[in-house]
C-alpha cells in the first residue's frame, strides 16, 4: 500500500508561538500513539518573515490509517486545536 503525506503549513504570529508549540507537543504525543503513523516532523522556517513559520509533515501508512487516527482524535487529528490558522493538505508521492 502506498503511503500518504499530510503537509500542514501553519501561520503563527509572535504572540501565538508559545501556545502553538505547547499544543503541538500535546497533539504530536497523541498522534505518535497510532500504529499507522510512519513519521511526524515539525519544520521551522529559516526566514523570520515567512508567512508559514512552521510546517507539519506527517507520513501515514495509508489514507485509512490517517482517517482512523483523525476519528480517534476528534475529527482533525487535533489540528483544529491549534490557536492559529493552518492549511492542511493530503499528498501522495508523485515523482522522485
Amino acid at each position: 500500500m502506498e503511503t500518504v503525506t499530510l503537509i500542514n503549513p501553519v501561520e503563527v504570529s509572535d504572540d501565538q508561538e508559545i501556545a502553538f508549540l505547547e499544543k503541538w507537543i500535546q497533539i504530536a504525543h497523541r498522534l505518535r500513539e497510532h500504529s499507522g503513523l510512519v513519521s511526524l516532523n515539525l519544520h521551522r522556517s529559516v526566514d523570520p518573515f515567512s508567512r508559514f513559520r512552521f510546517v507539519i509533515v506527517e507520513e501515514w501508512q495509508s489514507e485509512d490509517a490517517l482517517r482512523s487516527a483523525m476519528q480517534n482524535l476528534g475529527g482533525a487529528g487535533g489540528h483544529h486545536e491549534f490557536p492559529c490558522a493552518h492549511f492542511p493538505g493530503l499528498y501522495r508521492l508523485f515523482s522522485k
Side-chain angles (χ1 to χ4, degrees), residues 68-86:
S68 175
M70 297 301 120
Q71 289 175 349
N72 290 339
L73 294 171
H79 297 155
H80 63 282
E81 300 173 24
F82 287 141
C84 44
H86 56 100

Side-chain angles (χ1 to χ4, degrees), residues 1-94:
M1 197 173 287
E2 192 175 4
T3 64
V4 294
T5 303
L6 180 73
I7 299 175
N8 191 357
V10 186
E11 288 182 328
V12 180
S13 63
D14 289 339
D15 62 324
Q16 294 173 319
E17 186 167 330
I18 291 173
F20 166 74
L21 291 172
E22 288 173 348
K23 186 54 67 177
W24 157 254
I25 290 167
Q26 294 171 9
I27 292 170
H29 177 73
R30 295 189 335 237
L31 286 172
R32 286 189 173 105
E33 294 175 350
H34 290 273
S35 61
L37 183 66
V38 175
S39 65
L40 175 62
N41 296 290
L42 178 64
H43 299 261
R44 185 184 190 129
S45 175
V46 296
D47 177 358
F49 302 105
S50 175
R51 175 179 177 194
F52 301 112
R53 186 176 294 188
F54 294 97
V55 177
I56 300 164
V57 180
E58 303 171 21
E59 185 179 8
W60 292 87
Q61 291 176 348
S62 66
E63 285 184 69
D64 288 340
L66 172 61
R67 276 197 278 282
S68 175
M70 297 301 120
Q71 289 175 349
N72 290 339
L73 294 171
H79 297 155
H80 63 282
E81 300 173 24
F82 287 141
C84 44
H86 56 100
F87 305 90
L90 191 59
Y91 300 87
R92 279 194 202 287
L93 181 63
F94 181 73

